[in-house]
Amino acid sequence: MLSQVYRCGFQPFNQHLLPWVQCTTVSRSHCIQPSVIRHVRSWSNIPFITVPLSRTHGKSFAHRGELKHAKRIVVKLGSAVVTRGDECGLALGRLASIVEQVSVLQNQGREMMLVTSGAVAFGKQRLRHEILLSQSVRQALHSGQNQLKEMAIPVLEARACAAAGQSGLMALYEAMFTQYSICAAQILVTNLDFHDEQKRRNLNGTLHELLRMNIVPIVNTNDAVVPPAEPNSDLQGVNVISVKDNDSLAARLAVEMKTDLLIVLSDVEGLFDSPPGSDDAKLIDIFYPGDQQSVTFGTKSRVGMGGMEAKVKAALWALQGGTSVVIANGTHPKVSGHVITDIVEGKKVGTFFSEVKPAGPTVEQQGEMARSGGRMLATLEPEQRAEIIHHLADLLTDQRDEILLANKKDLEEAEGRLAAPLLKRLSLSTSKLNSLAIGLRQIAASSQDSVGRVLRRTRIAKNLELEQVTVPIGVLLVIFESRPDCLPQVAALAIASGNGLLLKGGKEAAHSNRILHLLTQEALSIHGVKEAVQLVNTREEVEDLCRLDKMIDLIIPRGSSQLVRDIQKAAKGIPVMGHSEGICHMYVDSEASVDKVTRLVRDSKCEYPAACNALETLLIHRDLLRTPLFDQIIDMLRVEQVKIHAGPKFASYLTFSPSEVKSLRTEYGDLELCIEVVDNVQDAIDHIHKYGSSHTDVIITENENTAEFFLQHVDSACVFWNASTRFSDGYRFGLGAEVGISTSRIHARGPVGLEGLLTTKWLLRGKDHVVSDFSEHGSLKYLHENLPVPQRNTN
């Protein structure tokens, strides 16, 4: 039965519960009166976040992304989570982190409940300590120090340990939750509290009252008096499950209280398709009822009563009762500090139990298909890969009407939701499709001699020859916003380079992306490699995709600077090719041509201000101030309705100046421009290196020596002389298309085309050669002769 409730000084709040509720009261200085509980969250040092939490209980969430709407949550802490590795005492660091996460969610307005183990471990520590202290001094001295260390401690009965440890465990929780101005209450239960109708109603009423008063109930089995579990009573119906361990208790409590989410924390990452630790074990992201036949269960936890099989049974039972379930690792030091909040935010953590099985493959399955399809693609003849790309180019023009109709749906749905520059990116037209087809044919031509090209040949010794050849990188993940024309461009580059491809487009281009992907797969089908290019249509968050380090070899983001920064931050273990910002500069030298300046500035800033290669900062030689050339630049910008921001030096020259720029390191992405004054070309270079992003920078001058000095000394991916910044583009460079523009100094830099999607491997061909033959007394000597490389096909 329910034996005790621990709470922060409230007077008994429900008179009919008095016969079986024992209150433990703390001093009035620590009491929180019911009338002020609604203000508790504002006292916490954790910011209060308003989240839409209202939902009707009765059906579990179908997708992880919906977990952020969970209002009532049960967190079950397994014995391995709360217990130290020596099984004697608690893991205080992990417990503190868990309490903090629960407090964060409670202060967001959610209703949190804990089901915790740990009383036995805490009690075992206390009783062992007491037994050692109770040894007589004489016995200790007689035994000697070495024997004292090896003194046998009697086996401690679990019920006694639980009785001795429960109060200490609760006191610890109370102290931790108090740090966040949150009150906690202890509830101990046995199986009878769920099977006796009166006790069940009493328990239900107590829990609801505690939640109403913003108190976190901490629930545990009353291990000091718990009877043996009833045999063969599990899973006979939604309302029948034995409380024989904390897994079943958590499931029963979750259904009883109509909770939205049950989080089961253990010492493994989740559910695997084979025992964790085996070579081919894979974490199951989503588990569906009926899948348990395909799972092999391992041994039980090192300390708990229930193993993974018990957790799965309890989880499926809770799912049947309308509660979503996630089983995850609560012990890993790198993730335990945010595992609970990550789960509630919908991130891909642990195993999510769902009753809704998606119609298509999971993203993990798509990754495997892209991997195998890419390997098949790489084995095709160059002419076959070129044929696929040519066919895709033909489909873009042949199916023009269907593509534009799908794009029209996207534009209609985006109207009023997207800014004008993003709508322009989203829009497709006949001319865009024609340009796409031309670019794809360029890629097809350049693909004839890409994969397998010999870069270097060396004769190591007689009959021992080494080659370095180009090979695909593997599986690419390209994440792009708004621009559906990106899909066929990137697909063609992946096909030409023999890479598998995962594509994640924005929701705003869903209709356009769908038809363009179908056309891509139609083209791939002519040589049986349809699955090499996959479009991710599931509700995967970008951050979750960035964690698939075993499936993805390179991530290429195409979109806003914020998207790129988010991906670079989220990608752990996977290289990211791209640029975080496009802060492009143009320096107008004192010897610039009057006829060229306004034309180049207009094109760089106004032709497409949302592009990453658009001009953001105009640097003007100080000798040009108050000259007709300067006036022409300002007049042109006003006509084009460009908002001007003044740099600090420029502002100091003017009595009435435009608004002074907040930062010289700003990418506006709109009709806005910063103007700053520099003393000379070296001053301009120094400014670019300090405030630029190494994307694209330009000099306008008629002095060839000044131009060459600028070209050689500016350390950016693209450096131009008397040309618009907008030329920084794969298509305009003759690459056919680009997967993105990289400001990295490793691998590819600038617009990245076909060459940037290849790496190399070494091929060594010998005849029974061994290293020992080349030792000091060996019979062979190294030659290291350079051999001619086969000529590249330039047709």
Side-chain angles (χ1 to χ4, degrees):
M1 63 178 292
L2 182 96
S3 65
Q4 186 185 32
V5 173
Y6 183 97
R7 52 194 179 83
C8 293
F10 289 109
Q11 297 303 311
F13 47 79
N14 198 330
Q15 293 300 317
H16 78 273
L17 301 182
L18 284 176
W20 50 276
V21 173
Q22 179 182 349
C23 300
T24 302
T25 306
V26 299
S27 63
R28 283 190 70 84
S29 63
H30 295 286
C31 293
I32 304 174
Q33 299 303 319
S35 61
V36 297
I37 284 208
R38 65 178 62 93
H39 302 299
V40 166
R41 296 183 211 118
S42 64
W43 306 340
S44 174
N45 58 357
I46 300 173
F48 176 70
I49 304 170
T50 303
V51 289
L53 298 176
S54 58
R55 100 179 187 96
T56 302
H57 184 82
K59 194 171 184 180
S60 61
F61 293 117
H63 307 283
R64 281 185 184 269
E66 298 172 342
L67 295 180
K68 60 175 66 77
H69 302 300
K71 166 73 173 176
R72 185 171 291 173
I73 302 170
V74 171
V75 179
K76 184 266 177 179
L77 309 178
S79 300
V81 175
V82 300
T83 306
R84 291 199 321 237
D86 60 4
E87 304 178 19
C88 187
L90 302 180
L92 296 180
R94 285 201 294 266
L95 272 184
S97 175
I98 287 165
V99 167
E100 181 181 18
Q101 294 174 77
V102 171
S103 299
V104 167
L105 297 173
Q106 182 82 2
N107 285 325
Q108 288 178 357
R110 304 178 198 267
E111 296 174 345
M112 304 298 296
M113 290 180 278
L114 279 183
V115 175
T116 180
S117 302
V120 173
F122 199 96
K124 185 186 293 185
Q125 183 185 38
R126 291 182 64 182
L127 292 181
R128 282 184 172 182
H129 184 67
E130 290 298 325
I131 289 171
L132 285 173
L133 289 178
S134 68
Q135 302 289 342
S136 68
V137 175
R138 185 174 302 169
Q139 181 183 356
L141 292 174
H142 180 72
S143 300
Q145 285 291 37
N146 291 334
Q147 293 181 16
L148 181 62
K149 290 179 182 178
E150 299 173 1
M151 187 181 299
I153 301 295
V155 176
L156 299 173
E157 208 276 329
R159 288 192 178 95
C161 292
Q166 189 65 44
S167 60
L169 176 65
M170 190 60 212
L172 181 61
Y173 274 121
E174 176 67 24
M176 288 180 173
F177 275 112
T178 299
Q179 301 303 309
Y180 303 97
S181 300
I182 289 177
C183 205
Q186 172 184 296
I187 298 180
L188 299 178
V189 298
T190 68
N191 207 23
L192 296 175
D193 293 304
F194 290 100
H195 291 283
D196 183 282
E197 190 60 32
Q198 180 60 46
K199 292 174 181 177
R200 179 182 165 196
R201 284 198 301 269
N202 290 343
L203 174 60
N204 192 294
T206 301
L207 288 167
H208 277 94
E209 191 73 8
L210 292 172
L211 294 176
R212 185 186 68 80
M213 302 177 83
N214 200 39
I215 298 173
V216 175
I218 300 178
V219 187
N220 196 359
T221 51
N222 192 352
D223 292 325
V225 299
V226 65
E230 297 179 13
N232 303 320
S233 60
D234 285 359
L235 309 179
Q236 298 303 311
V238 172
N239 293 321
V240 179
I241 185 171
S242 297
V243 177
K244 57 186 178 182
D245 53 44
N246 276 342
D247 294 318
S248 54
L249 168 60
R252 185 62 192 259
L253 181 68
V255 173
E256 182 71 27
M257 294 299 294
K258 295 182 171 59
T259 58
D260 302 314
L261 173 62
L262 167 60
I263 299 174
V264 179
L265 296 184
S266 181
D267 55 354
V268 292
E269 280 71 20
L271 192 60
F272 288 78
D273 58 0
S274 56
S278 59
D279 292 338
D280 56 349
K282 293 180 182 178
L283 180 66
I284 298 173
D285 172 41
I286 306 177
F287 190 78
Y288 306 98
D291 284 355
Q292 56 265 41
Q293 290 84 0
S294 61
V295 177
T296 303
F297 295 104
T299 59
K300 293 184 178 181
S301 163
R302 59 178 171 82
V303 284
M305 293 179 63
M308 185 55 73
E309 188 171 8
K311 289 175 176 57
V312 171
K313 285 184 177 180
L316 291 173
W317 189 88
L319 188 68
Q320 184 184 0
T323 297
S324 296
V325 183
V326 174
I327 297 177
N329 192 334
T331 64
H332 196 293
K334 291 186 178 180
V335 299
S336 58
H338 45 81
V339 60
I340 299 173
T341 49
D342 279 355
I343 289 170
V344 176
E345 289 173 10
K347 295 180 181 178
K348 186 172 283 190
V349 179
T351 299
F352 172 63
F353 286 70
S354 175
E355 291 188 299
V356 180
K357 203 160 190 174
T362 66
V363 69
E364 289 81 6
Q365 291 169 332
Q366 287 186 295
E368 293 292 344
M369 288 189 287
R371 173 79 66 190
S372 59
R375 285 172 176 163
M376 292 176 61
L377 187 63
T379 62
L380 296 178
E381 294 297 325
E383 295 78 13
Q384 293 175 306
R385 288 193 294 271
E387 187 180 353
I388 293 172
I389 300 170
H390 274 295
H391 188 48
L392 177 57
D394 293 339
L395 288 172
L396 291 178
T397 53
D398 295 345
Q399 305 295 324
R400 179 188 304 112
D401 293 341
E402 289 81 357
I403 296 170
L404 295 179
L405 182 62
N407 186 243
K408 183 180 178 183
K409 292 180 183 178
D410 288 327
L411 290 170
E412 289 172 350
E413 293 175 6
E415 192 69 40
R417 294 191 300 109
L418 292 183
L422 292 178
L423 281 173
K424 187 175 180 181
R425 287 186 179 189
L426 178 60
S427 175
L428 292 175
S429 62
T430 299
S431 61
K432 268 191 179 182
L433 293 176
N434 289 336
S435 296
L436 271 175
I438 293 171
L440 263 58
R441 292 187 178 100
Q442 289 179 353
I443 294 172
S446 62
S447 71
Q448 294 291 330
D449 189 21
S450 56
V451 180
R453 178 162 50 93
V454 179
L455 301 179
R456 177 176 176 172
R457 293 179 65 219
T458 304
R459 180 177 287 118
I460 304 294
K462 184 179 179 180
N463 294 325
L464 184 63
E465 294 187 2
L466 179 69
E467 286 184 344
Q468 185 184 22
V469 300
T470 57
V471 293
I473 289 175
V475 175
L476 314 176
L477 168 62
V478 178
I479 303 170
F480 56 101
E481 294 177 324
S482 296
R483 293 179 51 179
D485 54 327
C486 172
L487 193 153
Q489 289 178 334
V490 173
L493 288 170
I495 294 165
S497 57
N499 285 288
L501 179 62
L502 285 174
L503 291 158
K504 174 67 173 175
K507 293 182 291 186
E508 66 280 354
H511 299 292
S512 305
N513 290 338
R514 189 176 300 114
I515 187 169
L516 290 171
H517 177 247
L518 287 173
L519 295 177
T520 302
Q521 289 200 315
E522 181 178 337
L524 288 162
S525 297
I526 65 175
H527 288 296
V529 286
K530 175 181 177 181
E531 294 181 342
V533 177
Q534 298 286 324
L535 180 65
V536 178
N537 287 317
T538 56
R539 299 192 180 193
E540 303 294 331
E541 298 294 335
V542 167
E543 187 171 343
D544 293 328
L545 293 172
C546 292
R547 293 176 179 172
L548 301 177
D549 57 311
K550 294 182 180 178
M551 299 180 181
I552 297 167
D553 299 294
L554 179 66
I555 302 175
I556 305 172
R558 294 192 62 172
S560 67
S561 58
Q562 186 60 51
L563 171 73
V564 179
R565 282 193 296 269
D566 289 344
I567 290 172
Q568 289 173 333
K569 182 179 179 181
K572 297 173 182 176
I574 309 177
V576 178
M577 180 187 290
H579 63 281
S580 58
E581 293 173 309
I583 305 174
C584 302
H585 292 75
M586 180 175 281
Y587 166 55
V588 183
D589 185 52
S590 59
E591 298 181 67
S593 167
V594 174
D595 297 332
K596 295 176 182 176
V597 173
T598 54
R599 176 178 167 84
L600 291 172
V601 173
R602 179 189 289 110
D603 189 78
S604 298
K605 177 73 256 183
C606 308
E607 196 268 341
Y608 193 1
C612 65
N613 57 13
L615 175 63
E616 303 295 5
T617 298
L618 182 65
L619 302 176
I620 297 180
H621 194 287
R622 66 178 179 180
D623 292 347
L624 296 178
L625 290 178
R626 300 185 180 90
T627 65
L629 172 59
F630 178 77
D631 293 339
Q632 286 182 27
I633 295 172
I634 298 299
D635 290 341
M636 180 274 294
L637 293 173
R638 285 174 178 164
V639 170
E640 297 291 341
Q641 298 182 329
V642 177
K643 182 178 180 179
I644 298 174
H645 301 278
K649 290 183 181 179
F650 181 42
S652 67
Y653 281 93
L654 305 174
T655 305
F656 299 100
S657 67
S659 60
E660 187 169 341
V661 69
K662 294 180 180 178
S663 170
L664 289 167
R665 195 178 283 111
T666 302
E667 181 180 13
Y668 298 102
D670 205 347
L671 288 174
E672 296 185 56
L673 180 68
C674 172
I675 297 180
E676 182 57 311
V677 174
V678 292
D679 294 335
N680 49 49
V681 64
Q682 184 61 59
D683 195 17
I685 293 170
D686 293 342
H687 180 103
I688 291 169
H689 288 165
K690 185 174 182 179
Y691 299 109
S693 61
S694 301
H695 190 293
T696 301
D697 298 293
V698 176
I699 183 172
I700 306 176
T701 185
E702 296 304 301
N703 187 313
E704 184 175 351
N705 290 332
T706 303
E708 286 301 323
F709 184 85
F710 184 90
L711 294 174
Q712 297 302 320
H713 286 81
V714 171
D715 185 18
S716 295
C718 300
V719 189
F720 301 161
W721 172 24
N722 288 350
S724 168
T725 61
R726 296 276 291 116
F727 277 105
S728 182
D729 175 83
Y731 175 73
R732 296 176 185 123
F733 276 18
L735 305 179
E738 67 184 38
V739 293
I741 295 180
S742 172
T743 55
S744 172
R745 286 166 173 77
I746 299 175
H747 196 59
R749 197 176 186 201
V752 180
L754 177 58
E755 296 290 332
L757 299 181
L758 296 170
T759 184
T760 64
K761 70 178 180 181
W762 298 90
L763 305 178
L764 183 64
R765 297 178 175 90
K767 293 185 177 179
D768 196 31
H769 287 82
V770 293
V771 170
S772 59
D773 287 342
F774 295 84
S775 64
E776 184 178 354
H777 303 290
S779 58
L780 295 178
K781 301 294 182 183
Y782 289 111
L783 299 176
H784 292 149
E785 296 176 358
N786 291 328
L787 299 176
V789 174
Q791 291 298 308
R792 185 178 178 182
N793 180 9
T794 57
N795 294 330

